[in-house]
Amino acid sequence: MPKDQKPRRPKAETPKGFRDYFGAEVTERGAMLARIAEVYRHYGFDALETSAVETVEALGKFLPDVDRPNEGVFAWQEEDRDWLALRYDLTAPLARVYAQHRAQLPTPYRRYAMGPVWRNEKPGPGRYRQFYQCDADTVGTPTVAADAEICRMLCDALETLGIARRDYVVRINNRKVLNGVMEAAGVLDPADPDRFMHERGIVLRAIDKLDRLGTEGVRALLGEGRKDESGDYTKGARLSEEQAQVVLGFVEARGATGAETLRNLTDLCGQTQTGAVGIGELTQMAELLEAGAYGTDRILLDPATVRGLGYYTGPVFEAELTFEILGEDGKPRQFGSVAGGGRYDDLVKRFTGEAVPATGVSIGVDRLLAALRAKGQVAHEEPGPVVVTVMDRDRMADTFAIVADLRNAGIRAEAYLGNPKSFGAQMKYADRRRAPFAIIEGSDEKARGVVQVKDLVAGAQAAQTASLEEWKDRPAQQEVTRADLVAHLQRLLAK
Amino acid sequence: MPKDQKPRRPKAETPKGFRDYFGAEVTERGAMLARIAEVYRHYGFDALETSAVETVEALGKFLPDVDRPNEGVFAWQEEDRDWLALRYDLTAPLARVYAQHRAQLPTPYRRYAMGPVWRNEKPGPGRYRQFYQCDADTVGTPTVAADAEICRMLCDALETLGIARRDYVVRINNRKVLNGVMEAAGVLDPADPDRFMHERGIVLRAIDKLDRLGTEGVRALLGEGRKDESGDYTKGARLSEEQAQVVLGFVEARGATGAETLRNLTDLCGQTQTGAVGIGELTQMAELLEAGAYGTDRILLDPATVRGLGYYTGPVFEAELTFEILGEDGKPRQFGSVAGGGRYDDLVKRFTGEAVPATGVSIGVDRLLAALRAKGQVAHEEPGPVVVTVMDRDRMADTFAIVADLRNAGIRAEAYLGNPKSFGAQMKYADRRRAPFAIIEGSDEKARGVVQVKDLVAGAQAAQTASLEEWKDRPAQQEVTRADLVAHLQRLLAK
């Protein structure tokens, strides 16, 4: 029984970068996750839920921002034992699970997972340190059929959520093609793959920021470096102008058709072994997708799509919403990426020493919800329960009986449980609850076997000030017999 | 692009005390949470989801094990800033949320919350450091009608989950009655409530362990202390024999009827002011519950139910499953408590300085699932997808076309994406996936416009060794035209 420490009260605040979600925010996300899970399951993926906590050792350092390899996670040390951390994505735990349980799991192992992940980043506007991911991965097969399947499933999931066929596009590319280009540009030596690794990392992250930085920004990062608007300087990869031109040629290799894009890529790096393999995989994926009617209205070959993560080894893909929404500044803007993924053949190998090819996708559910909300496709609020007011504290059993009748008939309902003295306060409460109806059973109504049904949607404006008598006079109020109450409300709610 | 560190591989292990949940374990818990949420919502409770992370200051130290006030949570310090921690329950975050957002929230505020909580405890068999809670609370009203409502809702939730009317009981009691008894026993001085606080804490926790320790164990803890089986010594409250007798009289005050129990309690502590108030609240709650037909077949007045948490201030309640299950030792045993809660009028006051009465319940979903599984009411596994085998890697588009046809017809289906060379491996895979059927379309089937449908439930035993030819000979295999495949499978799956 803790003592009140009077001199100092704790602050009632969410930690910086975290937030609370109320009502519809919670139920809509839950509904969205359930709908995506249904698509994943339908494709044969099985559920997996790992704990939020992993050993730092098992997680590894695969956050996008490899410039700060020791940051990015929330971590602590167990007394005299391991360092533990909150997972920063759902892929690292999957690699650990597959390595740990592979003897019992089917191969290939298709699994889906959904839940919060945590990033120890500087919080910013609209940027939280806990957010939801919703992933599906196939572990244990090298075939690009697995990558193609995941792209189809991503399209199906987005359409199931109500995103129309031409309101999104899934851009696909292949890291092997990028590596072929790196080789052609002289920043990848097949005989010594570790050489220029640092430079290639800078190139990768520069291309990934093309949307934001534009061609000239990327060119600066391929060369000496770039100062951003805040004055921060990012060191460049120090490529020569000729080398940078090869890389930029790749980024801009998208042709009018997929076939033209593939021809451009072949010109750029078809002569390298890795590049040729990558172009072959990209061709095969596009063919499999088109054969299933997942054609260019949904899937686009786009060399500029590279994904920022270092661990991808083959196909990469990214879903982008193509409709415009109003930004915080009131100007229309593209919403951008809401899902992405790719093939990562070396993550499980960290644990087992054996190559275990894998591929997967992650849907950013919070971003997607924000997009659908901005588009007006998802409601901001949900209707409240019917509120049964309390006229007499000693007749609470009567109030409960009305509420029970409504609930038993499938109507969401509650008794007013605050201080019943002020009727205005009860109406204010019902208003704040967004109650569609309030029920009134005063002692004279009780004696006459009737109740008053108040339509609050019709009468919402007056709710702040009206007295009980004023309320009874409003046209939006009807008297019905107690026996007919349930049927009456069912009729009203069905409208 | 991280380098492989060859000399040392990370261990693929969950941290101690954590575990992974696969397939049905995840989906069944999800289904159970959804069903409980539906009951909570129906009662007018709104969803709230707070982040897993809170400031240590906001969480406060309210873990049941107050003997170790600095332990019990996973905590870490932000760089030059606050200490943060993972929430250990869903009540402490609610108190913080209500204090922070009360101007925008309705009063009373009914909310439900579900999600994992974390306890930094020594892990033991079946005892994990992350587990799910599923709470509903009403904040901002002192009326015991709110407590009664929550007890009704708890009964409804348990019955909605398939727990039959006499397979559970909700025991109710009141901390004010306990305090009245403490006063009668001379371990609570209304003029100086801080006096004997330590002793009362020991008494509370001793009574809470009555089930496990028996009357004599509790008596020892009320007196000098007690050595448990492991040899650990727990210091007692050092009450005199007379004092201990008063407390034990309370614990055993349950009569044959509720009315008799209330008379016994009145004899014990009705003369104290607090005791009389508590008995009044308990009487009122029982009346409200019985008026709604939540009578003694579901609700039981039980003075031995006190709950271990220090912060309760009035009504307390606990749901217990009354059926027997087989324990780990093969012997039948009672399953025990699966949910509990009570009134805590001072938790929000920590933040605001103003009294904010509140009451709530927490359902231990993982325990409840374990009970239903032990009783055979929840399946351990779910059926797998139809597996379409791959006879020819170059005809993957054909395989995908079959899978797409099945999925479009609402049938969960997948293509085999492993190495297709060994047909036996494909059958082993289908077996491990618990696939009800496998589909085979070799090149001759393709030429003839037919497919083979293999009934794997019938043929599961032979799956380990059979060759393709042996499989085709089995009676559990049927040839159907490709055009008729979907309808054929729909007929089989509907059986």
Side-chain angles (χ1 to χ4, degrees):
Chain A
M1 295 180 191
K3 234 170 152 173
D4 245 53
Q5 282 165 335
K6 271 160 200 152
R8 190 167 164 275
R9 288 188 202 130
K11 271 186 233 136
E13 282 178 6
T14 42
K16 279 188 190 59
F18 294 90
R19 55 160 294 195
D20 304 312
Y21 296 83
F22 294 91
E25 293 176 325
V26 180
T27 53
E28 276 158 12
R29 181 164 57 201
M32 178 176 271
L33 289 171
R35 260 180 255 134
I36 298 174
E38 201 41 56
V39 174
Y40 287 171
R41 274 184 52 73
H42 206 56
Y43 268 77
F45 287 69
D46 272 356
L48 168 69
E49 184 168 332
T50 60
S51 64
V53 179
E54 297 276 345
T55 64
V56 165
E57 181 189 3
L59 276 186
K61 290 167 184 171
F62 296 106
L63 278 176
D65 199 344
V66 292
D67 299 336
R68 303 175 305 155
N70 287 313
E71 299 189 18
V73 298
F74 293 105
W76 62 91
Q77 189 171 19
E78 289 244 88
E79 217 171 285
D80 303 322
R81 281 191 297 186
D82 293 339
W83 275 85
L84 302 181
L86 292 178
R87 65 183 179 207
Y88 55 79
D89 70 6
L90 301 172
T91 311
L94 170 63
R96 193 265 306 151
V97 164
Y98 189 79
Q100 184 173 346
H101 301 282
R102 63 192 184 282
Q104 287 80 46
L105 293 172
T107 297
Y109 175 48
R110 285 182 181 87
R111 87 87 182 79
Y112 71 86
M114 40 190 55
V117 301
W118 293 265
R119 301 267 170 95
N120 191 359
E121 289 171 347
K122 220 174 126 184
R127 193 186 166 118
Y128 296 104
R129 304 207 285 175
Q130 172 175 328
F131 54 92
Y132 269 76
Q133 288 190 334
C134 183
D135 287 21
D137 295 77
T138 302
V139 184
T141 180
T143 172
V144 293
D147 303 273
E149 177 178 78
I150 282 183
C151 289
R152 292 169 74 132
M153 185 166 70
L154 176 56
C155 294
D156 285 10
L158 294 175
E159 292 183 20
T160 296
L161 296 177
I163 299 166
R165 187 70 55 97
R166 288 183 188 275
D167 273 351
Y168 74 93
V169 63
V170 175
R171 299 174 191 278
I172 66 172
N173 192 14
N174 194 298
R175 278 289 178 84
K176 287 172 187 153
V177 180
L178 174 62
N179 283 342
V181 171
M182 299 275 204
E183 201 178 319
V187 271
L188 175 62
D189 177 359
D192 182 5
D194 286 354
R195 211 178 151 205
F196 304 123
M197 192 182 274
H198 177 69
E199 287 76 6
R200 290 200 303 276
I202 297 175
V203 171
L204 176 69
R205 294 191 293 281
I207 301 177
D208 191 45
K209 289 175 193 152
L210 175 67
D211 264 8
R212 194 147 43 87
L213 306 184
T215 308
E216 287 319 300
V218 174
R219 188 190 300 274
L221 284 173
L222 298 179
E224 285 300 315
R226 181 181 173 274
K227 191 184 277 190
D228 68 17
E229 284 166 15
S230 73
D232 284 350
Y233 189 80
T234 309
K235 267 196 182 170
R238 310 196 69 161
L239 267 52
S240 71
E241 272 185 39
E242 293 72 25
Q243 289 178 311
Q245 204 46 52
V246 175
V247 171
L248 286 170
F250 166 71
V251 169
E252 290 164 351
R254 198 174 118 202
T257 65
E260 191 184 323
T261 305
L262 289 166
R263 273 197 304 278
N264 291 344
L265 292 176
T266 306
D267 290 346
L268 266 169
C269 68
Q271 77 281 15
T272 69
Q273 206 191 329
T274 312
V277 170
I279 292 165
E281 289 184 359
L282 204 47
T283 307
Q284 206 187 330
M285 255 182 90
E287 281 172 5
L288 259 179
L289 287 163
E290 267 168 39
Y294 291 74
T296 48
D297 54 340
R298 300 195 260 185
I299 308 274
L300 207 62
L301 301 198
D302 185 357
T305 296
V306 295
R307 309 285 299 155
L309 282 167
Y311 59 58
Y312 291 121
T313 54
V316 287
F317 27 87
E318 191 164 300
E320 194 183 299
L321 299 185
T322 52
F323 54 80
E324 285 185 337
I325 57 147
L326 290 185
E328 278 167 26
D329 52 4
K331 288 180 193 156
R333 63 172 182 87
Q334 297 275 345
F335 198 84
S337 170
V338 290
R343 178 162 284 279
Y344 51 97
D345 282 349
D346 298 327
L347 273 193
V348 181
K349 192 181 180 185
R350 287 180 62 228
F351 296 102
T352 61
E354 297 157 36
V356 178
T359 183
V361 69
S362 181
I363 299 183
V365 174
D366 291 313
R367 274 184 66 78
L368 201 47
L369 261 180
L372 290 180
R373 241 181 235 124
K375 217 191 166 202
Q377 271 186 238
V378 165
H380 289 258
E381 294 186 338
E382 47 188 357
V386 171
V387 170
V388 182
T389 61
V390 176
M391 293 298 111
D392 184 349
R393 217 192 277 256
D394 293 334
R395 288 198 301 106
M396 191 52 102
D398 290 341
T399 310
F400 269 28
I402 297 178
V403 172
D405 284 352
L406 299 182
R407 283 184 193 139
N408 289 339
I411 298 170
R412 191 182 185 209
E414 57 173 53
Y416 178 70
L417 288 182
N419 188 333
K421 251 169 66 182
S422 150
F423 187 74
Q426 299 201 45
M427 282 300 108
K428 261 190 220 173
Y429 171 82
D431 188 46
R432 186 163 278 193
R433 295 288 289 122
R434 292 185 302 281
F437 299 99
I439 311 298
I440 305 161
E441 190 200 46
S443 44
D444 75 293
E445 276 97 355
K446 171 81 179 168
R448 292 191 294 121
V450 297
V451 292
Q452 308 290 335
V453 177
K454 181 82 222 147
D455 184 333
L456 296 179
V457 178
Q461 290 307 319
Q464 303 300 323
T465 51
S467 70
L468 174 55
E469 293 317 308
E470 285 173 307
W471 272 101
K472 286 194 180 178
D473 288 341
R474 288 189 57 84
Q477 181 164 314
Q478 268 186 285
E479 183 176 295
V480 296
T481 66
R482 173 72 177 79
D484 191 38
L485 172 62
V486 166
H488 180 72
L489 275 180
Q490 280 174 325
R491 277 193 300 276
L492 290 173
L493 287 164
K495 274 180 193 167
Chain B
M1 296 181 193
K3 236 172 155 172
D4 245 52
Q5 282 164 339
K6 269 158 205 158
R8 189 166 165 274
R9 289 191 201 125
K11 273 186 231 134
E13 281 178 8
T14 42
K16 281 189 187 60
F18 294 89
R19 55 160 295 198
D20 303 313
Y21 297 83
F22 294 91
E25 293 175 324
V26 180
T27 53
E28 277 157 13
R29 181 163 59 200
M32 178 176 271
L33 289 170
R35 261 181 256 132
I36 299 173
E38 201 41 55
V39 175
Y40 287 171
R41 272 185 53 74
H42 206 56
Y43 267 78
F45 287 68
D46 272 355
L48 169 68
E49 184 170 332
T50 61
S51 64
V53 179
E54 296 275 346
T55 65
V56 165
E57 180 188 3
L59 276 186
K61 289 169 184 170
F62 296 106
L63 277 176
D65 199 344
V66 293
D67 299 337
R68 301 176 306 154
N70 288 314
E71 297 189 19
V73 298
F74 292 105
W76 62 91
Q77 189 171 18
E78 289 244 89
E79 214 172 286
D80 303 322
R81 281 193 296 185
D82 293 339
W83 275 86
L84 302 182
L86 292 179
R87 64 185 179 205
Y88 55 79
D89 70 6
L90 301 173
T91 311
L94 170 63
R96 193 265 305 153
V97 164
Y98 189 79
Q100 183 173 345
H101 300 283
R102 65 193 183 283
Q104 288 79 46
L105 292 172
T107 296
Y109 175 49
R110 287 181 179 90
R111 86 87 180 81
Y112 71 87
M114 39 190 56
V117 301
W118 294 265
R119 301 267 170 96
N120 191 0
E121 289 171 347
K122 221 173 124 183
R127 193 185 165 119
Y128 296 102
R129 305 209 281 176
Q130 172 175 327
F131 54 91
Y132 269 78
Q133 288 190 336
C134 183
D135 287 22
D137 295 77
T138 302
V139 184
T141 179
T143 172
V144 292
D147 303 272
E149 177 180 78
I150 281 182
C151 289
R152 293 170 73 133
M153 185 167 69
L154 176 55
C155 295
D156 285 10
L158 294 175
E159 293 183 21
T160 297
L161 297 177
I163 299 165
R165 187 68 57 98
R166 286 180 191 277
D167 272 352
Y168 75 94
V169 63
V170 175
R171 299 174 191 278
I172 67 172
N173 193 13
N174 194 299
R175 278 287 179 84
K176 287 173 187 154
V177 180
L178 174 62
N179 282 342
V181 171
M182 298 276 203
E183 201 178 318
V187 269
L188 175 62
D189 177 359
D192 182 5
D194 287 354
R195 211 176 151 205
F196 303 122
M197 191 182 276
H198 177 69
E199 287 77 5
R200 290 200 303 276
I202 297 176
V203 171
L204 177 69
R205 292 191 295 280
I207 301 176
D208 191 43
K209 289 176 192 150
L210 176 67
D211 264 8
R212 193 145 44 87
L213 306 184
T215 308
E216 287 320 302
V218 173
R219 189 190 299 276
L221 284 174
L222 296 179
E224 285 300 316
R226 180 179 173 275
K227 193 184 276 192
D228 68 18
E229 284 165 14
S230 73
D232 285 350
Y233 189 79
T234 308
K235 267 196 182 170
R238 311 197 68 162
L239 267 52
S240 72
E241 273 185 38
E242 292 73 24
Q243 288 179 310
Q245 204 46 54
V246 175
V247 171
L248 286 169
F250 166 70
V251 170
E252 290 163 351
R254 199 175 117 198
T257 64
E260 192 185 323
T261 305
L262 288 166
R263 274 197 304 277
N264 292 342
L265 292 176
T266 306
D267 290 348
L268 265 169
C269 68
Q271 76 282 15
T272 68
Q273 205 192 329
T274 312
V277 171
I279 292 165
E281 289 184 358
L282 204 46
T283 308
Q284 207 186 330
M285 254 182 93
E287 281 172 4
L288 260 180
L289 286 162
E290 267 168 40
Y294 291 74
T296 49
D297 54 340
R298 302 194 258 186
I299 308 273
L300 208 61
L301 300 198
D302 185 357
T305 296
V306 295
R307 308 284 300 153
L309 280 168
Y311 60 57
Y312 290 123
T313 53
V316 287
F317 27 89
E318 190 163 302
E320 194 183 299
L321 299 186
T322 52
F323 55 81
E324 286 186 336
I325 57 147
L326 290 184
E328 277 167 27
D329 53 4
K331 289 181 193 155
R333 64 173 183 86
Q334 297 271 353
F335 198 86
S337 169
V338 290
R343 178 162 284 280
Y344 50 96
D345 281 350
D346 298 327
L347 273 194
V348 180
K349 192 181 179 183
R350 286 179 65 228
F351 296 101
T352 62
E354 297 157 36
V356 178
T359 183
V361 69
S362 181
I363 299 183
V365 175
D366 291 312
R367 275 184 67 78
L368 200 48
L369 260 181
L372 291 180
R373 242 181 234 124
K375 221 195 164 199
Q377 271 187 237
V378 165
H380 288 259
E381 294 186 337
E382 47 187 359
V386 171
V387 170
V388 182
T389 61
V390 176
M391 293 298 111
D392 184 348
R393 215 193 277 255
D394 292 335
R395 288 201 298 106
M396 191 52 104
D398 290 341
T399 309
F400 268 29
I402 296 178
V403 172
D405 283 353
L406 299 181
R407 283 183 193 141
N408 289 339
I411 299 169
R412 193 183 183 208
E414 56 173 51
Y416 178 71
L417 287 183
N419 188 333
K421 252 170 65 183
S422 151
F423 187 75
Q426 299 201 43
M427 283 299 108
K428 262 190 220 172
Y429 171 83
D431 188 46
R432 185 162 276 194
R433 294 290 287 123
R434 294 185 298 283
F437 299 99
I439 310 299
I440 305 161
E441 190 200 47
S443 45
D444 76 293
E445 276 96 355
K446 171 79 181 172
R448 291 192 294 122
V450 298
V451 292
Q452 309 289 335
V453 177
K454 181 83 225 148
D455 185 333
L456 295 179
V457 179
Q461 290 306 321
Q464 304 299 322
T465 52
S467 70
L468 174 57
E469 293 316 307
E470 285 173 306
W471 272 103
K472 286 195 179 175
D473 289 342
R474 288 190 56 84
Q477 181 163 316
Q478 267 186 286
E479 185 175 295
V480 297
T481 65
R482 172 71 176 79
D484 191 38
L485 172 63
V486 167
H488 180 72
L489 275 179
Q490 280 175 326
R491 277 193 302 275
L492 290 173
L493 286 166
K495 274 181 192 166

